[in-house]
Amino acid sequence: MAYFLLLPLVQMPAEESAARVEPAAFTPAPVQPAVIGLSAFDALLADFEDEREASLVALRGYLLTEGEGFHREWLQATVRMQEAAEALVRQSSSWTDGRKLVQLVEMQRLVARLLAEQRAIASIAGTVNRYPGLQLYTEDVQPALEEAQMLCTEVMDRMLATSSPDFVGPVGPFAEFRGDLEDLRAALSSYMGAAVSAGPPAAAGPAHLDAMGKMLAEARPQVPAELQAKIDRLRVLLDMTEEKLSRIFALRDSERWDYASYAFRTRVEPLAAKLGSIEEEWRASAGERS
């Protein structure tokens, strides 16, 4: 009986019991502004790194293939890289780290130079300007040899018109010169279209060109006076061709033969590496106050 009499003493009111078991409302802790700033900076930096690398990959692909798809992708990547750099500049208004602010200014300079170099390289891809040696050949050597060939034909026709079976005179040596000139043109045409590893043709070697010059020197006194000026012009064309060929062969043996790829390695990649150094230092300071 005593047990039942004590029950009211330990029993609580229904509303008070419900209040005790109801879980307390959860209030999230306020996020510190510094954490938000650092997180935004990390995201912006990652965007910039991605777009910088994307521009390099696309330009490298364009140089390898000269495909319009890579060119379009490169253009888009450069726009996004500029936008990512500008976003970092806007975010820097809250920075308090002096070194990082100075590095940001340097980053802006590097980005401007990187874009300028990339545009210069992209502009010569697919043109004769990409290969300076090929440009020398098409703009200087080929026209000179064509003019020399026409002069040879004209001089030979004039000499044959005044020749006789009893006196061959300079016709023989000059005919040999004309044949060597034709061999030179054919050999150079084949060489310019061959792989870069191919060596210069023997017909374009110094010894062979010197021999051709001696033929002209020997033939000149024997030709009619009115043709000697044409022989002199042939000698000028031959000397000019030899000088241009020496430059072409030197370029062919150097990294500058494909100037677009050479400029990419020596001008674009070093700028990208400098930007990468700044980015690496910024990543290392992640979590610190900017």
Side-chain angles (χ1 to χ4, degrees):
M1 292 295 292
Y3 173 76
F4 292 105
L5 291 173
L6 290 173
L7 279 177
L9 298 177
V10 298
Q11 191 173 9
M12 299 179 186
E15 61 273 11
E16 184 178 350
S17 176
R20 291 290 183 89
V21 298
E22 182 180 350
F26 174 74
T27 303
V31 179
Q32 298 299 321
V35 175
I36 294 177
L38 287 171
S39 176
F41 169 75
D42 293 341
L44 292 175
L45 178 59
D47 287 344
F48 176 76
E49 289 178 302
D50 290 345
E51 300 308 337
R52 175 183 59 77
E53 184 61 26
S55 74
L56 296 178
V57 171
L59 181 56
R60 192 180 292 112
Y62 181 49
L63 294 180
L64 288 172
T65 66
E66 295 185 0
E68 185 55 35
F70 278 112
H71 184 254
R72 184 167 52 252
E73 184 178 339
W74 166 74
L75 286 173
Q76 294 169 352
T78 57
V79 172
R80 294 194 302 267
M81 179 173 65
Q82 284 180 287
E83 292 173 347
E86 291 167 359
L88 280 169
V89 172
R90 288 192 297 271
Q91 208 258 0
S92 69
S93 61
S94 62
W95 295 3
T96 58
D97 186 330
R99 176 173 174 78
K100 191 172 289 187
L101 288 168
V102 171
Q103 288 175 322
L104 179 67
V105 174
E106 177 64 11
M107 184 205 78
Q108 290 177 278
R109 295 195 193 102
L110 291 171
V111 168
R113 289 176 57 194
L114 180 64
L115 289 171
E117 293 292 350
Q118 287 191 7
R119 292 183 184 117
I121 291 171
S123 69
I124 65 174
T127 71
V128 71
N129 295 330
R130 176 173 181 171
Y131 301 95
L134 183 59
Q135 186 176 15
L136 279 173
Y137 174 71
T138 57
E139 295 182 1
D140 295 329
V141 173
Q142 262 190 330
L145 293 178
E146 289 172 1
E147 182 184 350
Q149 196 73 44
M150 289 188 294
L151 283 172
C152 280
T153 300
E154 183 180 349
V155 171
M156 180 63 74
D157 290 345
R158 294 280 295 275
M159 287 194 298
L160 289 174
T162 59
S163 65
S164 69
D166 298 329
F167 178 71
V168 176
V171 172
F174 198 78
E176 187 176 351
F177 174 86
R178 184 177 64 173
D180 288 343
L181 185 62
E182 291 174 354
D183 291 343
L184 175 61
R185 292 182 66 190
L188 287 175
S189 177
S190 177
Y191 169 74
M192 298 305 294
V196 176
S197 57
H208 197 74
L209 294 175
D210 287 346
M212 292 176 67
K214 289 178 181 178
M215 288 182 195
L216 287 178
E218 293 172 0
R220 187 182 187 281
Q222 304 178 53
V223 302
E226 65 271 16
L227 296 179
Q228 289 181 354
K230 297 185 184 299
I231 299 295
D232 294 340
R233 177 59 181 167
L234 279 171
R235 185 56 193 259
V236 169
L237 292 171
L238 184 64
D239 290 343
M240 187 270 286
T241 296
E242 185 172 10
E243 187 271 329
K244 299 293 184 182
L245 286 177
S246 66
R247 292 169 58 187
I248 290 172
F249 297 153
L251 285 168
R252 187 75 171 246
D253 289 337
S254 73
E255 294 181 338
R256 293 174 178 264
W257 177 255
D258 180 352
Y259 190 77
S261 296
Y262 172 77
F264 186 89
R265 291 191 303 271
T266 60
R267 302 177 74 88
V268 168
E269 288 184 344
L271 290 172
K274 289 180 180 179
L275 282 169
S277 296
I278 294 175
E279 296 159 7
E280 184 177 358
E281 184 173 335
W282 285 358
R283 281 197 308 273
S285 65
E288 299 176 5
R289 183 177 176 83
S290 296

